[in-house]
Amino acid sequence: MTDAHQTNGATPMTLPGRYYYDPAVYEAEKEQIFYRTWQYVGHVSLLSQPSQYLVRDIGDQSVFVLRDTAGELRAFFNVCQHRAHRLLEGEGSLSKLITCPYHAWCYQQDGSLCVARGTEHIPSFDRNSVRLKAVRLESLCGFLFVNLDDKAPSLAEQTPGLEAEMRAFAPEAEQLQTSNRYFIPLKANWKNSIENFAECYHCPGQHPTLTQNALDLGTYKIECLDNYHVHRSRDKGDDMGYHIERDALPQPDEFRSFYIWPNTVIEVYPGHNLTVFHHVPVGPEETHHAMEWYFPSAEPTAEQQAVVDFVHQVRIEDVPICESVQKGLHSKGYQRGHLILDPDQSDVSEHAVFHFQQKIAQALSLPS
């Protein structure tokens, strides 16, 4: 890593293009970023019953989160302590024990070993010394995050004020139910995807339905804090591209987007909902957009479904943009770009892109 994220006293510059496709950079990011930060895994509504579990892969690592028979949420590395077979896949419910498909070693839901066939003939084998390795688990308004780094500060410590602002829109966020869930494959680096999200400079030209029918860009503001950003805007009122029942909603005319370092976004669109936009890296030049919607009921109303459909169209519009940028980053005619830092941090500002790239440079220990 020799290329710096420098400004040299001039217009702030982007990271060099190679940081968006070099496999060595991607490997460094897994170790220095994704294995040391809070990674989103799902909402508590996905684990509403005892023995329910979900598996999430973070780079080359795999974890699972479960609600045990006592109702406690737990997280573990998804690997058997015998010969390293993965224990669980996908999402579902356990019968009771966690059983390895390879040699049928069985673990209690607290991670302790209870059955290891053949070890009863080995006097020196200490079953009590074998257990699944726990992973740190925290909740933000019912949204669950894990961290593979035992020494990392808590999510709450890293995001002061975020929970209160989210609850201003959804006071009982934990009680929301999972509704629409879908993936959008993206042939682009995860940073490319985050940076596209982090600014609305491109919105008038690329998202006409959003700017003409939803967001009032005259009120758009960006606030960059250490480990999260907030995008704030008023909506178009009665000229919205979808109908909502405003009278029954907290802050019905407001849009908020909360970006949480490094790759999770929780958004609130007018209409009393929370949506997760998770940028999941699956390779140096491949990302999955994992979208989840949460409403008071698992069955959205017609008005709520209209919000989902509206935002889905915006997400689809971003795919060709990011994929075109990804191709351009390989160009011999491009080294690095200039960023627009509007002092008012308005809709034309790329402050959040610059802040995100500074976080990348810091995590990868790039020279200044």
Side-chain angles (χ1 to χ4, degrees):
M1 302 291 182
T2 58
D3 294 319
H5 185 243
Q6 299 176 3
T7 64
N8 296 321
T11 303
M13 304 291 287
T14 67
L15 291 167
R18 73 180 185 87
Y19 284 94
Y20 297 81
Y21 57 80
D22 188 332
V25 173
Y26 179 65
E27 291 301 314
E29 289 172 343
K30 286 192 290 187
E31 291 292 340
Q32 302 300 322
I33 297 176
F34 292 101
Y35 300 163
R36 298 185 180 186
T37 55
W38 290 98
Q39 292 292 301
Y40 175 70
V41 293
H43 187 264
V44 290
S45 60
L46 298 172
L47 300 169
S48 60
Q49 301 300 316
S51 297
Q52 282 187 315
Y53 72 88
L54 55 84
V55 174
R56 295 292 183 265
D57 290 343
I58 304 168
D60 300 324
Q61 303 300 306
S62 184
V63 302
F64 68 88
V65 182
L66 66 83
R67 186 177 294 278
D68 67 20
T69 53
E72 182 177 348
L73 289 169
R74 299 178 180 270
F76 299 97
F77 282 95
N78 186 27
V79 61
C80 182
Q81 301 301 293
H82 175 217
R83 296 264 297 281
H85 197 284
R86 287 168 66 102
L87 291 166
L88 300 170
E89 300 293 343
E91 301 175 7
S93 295
L94 301 168
S95 57
K96 183 178 180 182
L97 301 177
I98 304 164
T99 302
C100 179
Y102 195 9
H103 298 100
W105 278 35
C106 297
Y107 302 86
Q108 301 283 2
Q109 293 186 14
D110 65 359
S112 59
L113 180 66
C114 62
V115 176
R117 185 167 52 89
T119 59
E120 64 272 17
H121 306 302
I122 306 174
S124 61
F125 183 82
D126 181 9
R127 183 173 299 170
N128 294 327
S129 69
V130 180
R131 62 183 302 113
L132 302 180
K133 181 173 175 54
V135 174
R136 294 176 65 191
L137 175 68
E138 290 193 16
S139 173
L140 173 66
C141 297
F143 294 94
L144 302 175
F145 291 76
V146 295
N147 197 319
L148 308 186
D149 182 0
D150 292 335
K151 298 179 181 179
S154 71
L155 181 60
E157 290 175 310
Q158 292 190 6
T159 58
L162 177 56
E163 179 176 354
E165 188 162 1
M166 287 177 60
R167 289 196 184 279
F169 290 89
E172 298 179 346
E174 289 88 346
Q175 279 68 56
L176 296 177
Q177 299 297 308
T178 310
S179 180
N180 292 256
R181 302 170 70 196
Y182 56 87
F183 288 86
I184 302 174
L186 179 69
K187 295 180 180 178
N189 182 267
W190 72 278
K191 298 188 296 300
N192 178 347
S193 180
I194 292 287
E195 290 167 13
N196 176 73
F197 154 80
E199 47 89 357
C200 213
Y201 189 24
H202 72 285
C203 291
Q206 301 299 327
H207 302 305
T209 57
L210 183 68
T211 56
Q212 294 172 17
N213 301 325
L215 300 186
D216 178 4
L217 292 186
T219 64
Y220 199 101
K221 294 292 182 182
I222 303 169
E223 181 182 10
C224 296
L225 296 107
D226 189 23
N227 289 296
Y228 71 99
H229 305 159
V230 185
H231 296 243
R232 300 182 176 93
S233 175
R234 302 278 292 179
D235 69 21
K236 293 277 190 175
D238 293 337
D239 295 328
M240 288 284 286
Y242 53 86
H243 174 73
I244 59 175
E245 297 293 341
R246 296 176 183 272
D247 293 343
L249 303 177
Q251 304 198 45
D253 304 320
E254 300 289 328
F255 161 78
R256 291 292 185 274
S257 187
F258 307 103
Y259 158 75
I260 304 169
W261 164 260
N263 62 323
T264 303
V265 175
I266 300 176
E267 293 184 321
V268 184
Y269 280 79
H272 194 188
N273 62 79
L274 290 176
T275 177
V276 175
F277 181 19
H278 193 197
H279 305 251
V280 184
V282 291
E285 298 190 79
E286 186 176 0
T287 304
H288 283 169
H289 287 173
M291 303 293 300
E292 300 173 354
W293 289 83
Y294 294 91
F295 297 107
S297 172
E299 292 296 327
T301 65
E303 291 80 4
Q304 291 165 344
Q305 187 61 48
V307 182
V308 175
D309 296 341
F310 183 90
V311 177
H312 180 70
Q313 177 59 38
V314 175
R315 296 291 173 239
I316 292 297
E317 290 168 354
D318 279 326
V319 171
I321 300 171
C322 292
E323 292 185 346
S324 178
V325 168
Q326 191 65 32
K327 293 176 182 177
L329 289 164
H330 285 271
S331 174
K332 294 184 182 297
Y334 179 86
Q335 295 301 317
R336 60 201 319 177
H338 298 265
L339 292 170
I340 306 300
L341 301 190
D342 172 29
D344 291 333
Q345 297 187 204
S346 67
D347 61 298
V348 302
S349 180
E350 294 174 311
H351 271 84
V353 177
F354 183 52
H355 183 265
F356 170 71
Q357 294 193 359
Q358 287 180 308
K359 295 283 288 184
I360 295 292
Q362 181 183 17
L364 298 182
S365 300
L366 303 181
S368 59

